Amino acid sequence: NAALDRAGLNWRPGEFIVLVAAIASGVGVVGWLIHPFVGLGAAAIVGGSARSAVAFLGARRRRRFADQLDNTLLVLASSLRAGHGVQRGLSAVADEAESPTAEEFARVVAETRIGRDLVEALQGVAVRLGNEDFEWVVRAVAINRELGGNLAEVLDNVAQTIRERNQLRRQVSALSAEGRLSAGILYVLPFVVGVVVRITNPNYLSELTESTVGLGAMVLALVLMVGGGVWIRKIVKVRY
């Protein structure tokens, strides 16, 4: 349920499971007409990739929210300078921002209207999207409600910090794009070549697939590939 919520899918877990099961069954039946193993494999792939697809949508939604956050805070701060309250500022963001920011802030406004505490509703957004920067905003709003002060100025400072962090993240992503692309090609290339060789000359790979030494070499190569992927991921991941 939390994964579907993060991905912005308005489905219940049961509905999602039924949908995936129906698609997997349909694909499996079509594959079964070709070969039983093809049908079973296709159904297993569809079922196994469903959760990965939801995780991908959730990660993409989190990235878009993070990219929009600095502009979101500027809109909120401008609304506060115009004399509106926090609640009215959140409504302005919900009306003017893009998805998924508009959806999340509209949810906050709706929750506060039915009685939920504002800080709790904002904290729910931070937890749901896993955004550390937005947690700063929640803390700023909570402190302002208890102690008072110029919340618009605080939000401006937070927005400037977030903008600098996003700039650094984008710079690292741009500098490492070529390396990540090369890594992806090197990951896929052995499997593509193996499939092509297996189709064109089935006996060529028999030394690898039919001997203990060959199987051990393939396992070692796979372990090294996974280790290289983890290494590359650690290199390009920015820790603030």
Side-chain angles (χ1 to χ4, degrees):
N1 191 31
L4 292 173
D5 205 11
R6 286 192 297 268
L9 300 176
N10 296 323
W11 295 336
R12 297 177 180 177
E15 296 172 344
F16 180 75
I17 292 174
V18 171
L19 177 63
V20 173
I23 296 175
S25 300
V27 173
V29 169
V30 174
W32 189 278
L33 299 177
I34 301 175
H35 192 280
F37 289 108
V38 175
L40 293 175
I45 291 174
V46 171
S49 60
R51 186 172 180 83
S52 299
V54 173
F56 171 78
L57 293 175
R60 185 179 66 176
R61 196 165 182 266
R62 287 195 298 270
R63 288 194 300 267
R64 293 177 62 185
F65 182 85
D67 291 337
Q68 299 167 3
L69 185 55
D70 53 343
N71 292 329
T72 299
L73 297 182
L74 292 179
V75 173
L76 182 57
S78 299
S79 179
L80 294 176
R81 288 196 195 89
H84 301 297
V86 177
Q87 188 77 15
R88 182 66 185 87
L90 296 176
S91 299
V93 173
D95 294 335
E96 300 177 11
E98 299 178 355
S99 177
T101 301
E103 300 167 358
E104 292 294 335
F105 275 74
R107 181 171 176 173
V108 170
V109 172
E111 290 178 350
T112 54
R113 285 177 179 172
I114 62 176
R116 189 178 185 185
D117 183 71
L118 175 61
V119 176
E120 292 182 1
L122 293 174
Q123 185 63 34
V125 176
V127 173
R128 185 162 53 249
L129 296 177
N131 191 290
E132 182 182 355
D133 294 334
F134 193 71
E135 292 183 0
W136 297 359
V137 179
V138 178
R139 295 191 188 102
V141 173
I143 293 174
N144 178 264
R145 294 183 67 187
E146 294 180 3
L147 304 178
N150 191 344
L151 181 59
E153 183 178 355
V154 174
L155 292 178
D156 282 335
N157 294 333
V158 174
Q160 178 64 26
T161 303
I162 293 174
R163 189 179 299 109
E164 294 175 355
R165 286 161 59 91
N166 287 338
Q167 182 179 1
L168 176 60
R169 177 172 54 83
R170 296 189 186 105
Q171 183 178 5
V172 172
S173 178
L175 293 175
S176 61
E178 182 179 357
R180 288 184 284 111
L181 178 61
S182 301
I185 294 174
L186 292 176
Y187 265 117
V188 176
L189 188 60
F191 299 101
V192 174
V193 172
V195 171
V196 172
V197 171
R198 189 68 177 178
I199 295 174
T200 57
N201 189 358
N203 297 326
Y204 188 81
L205 297 177
S206 59
E207 291 294 331
L208 285 176
T209 58
E210 298 178 4
S211 65
T212 304
V213 177
L215 293 175
M218 293 174 64
V219 172
L220 177 61
L222 183 61
V223 171
L224 292 176
M225 289 178 64
V226 173
V230 174
W231 193 348
I232 293 174
R233 183 177 179 84
K234 292 293 185 181
I235 291 175
V236 300
K237 186 175 181 179
V238 180
R239 291 186 177 275
Y240 298 99

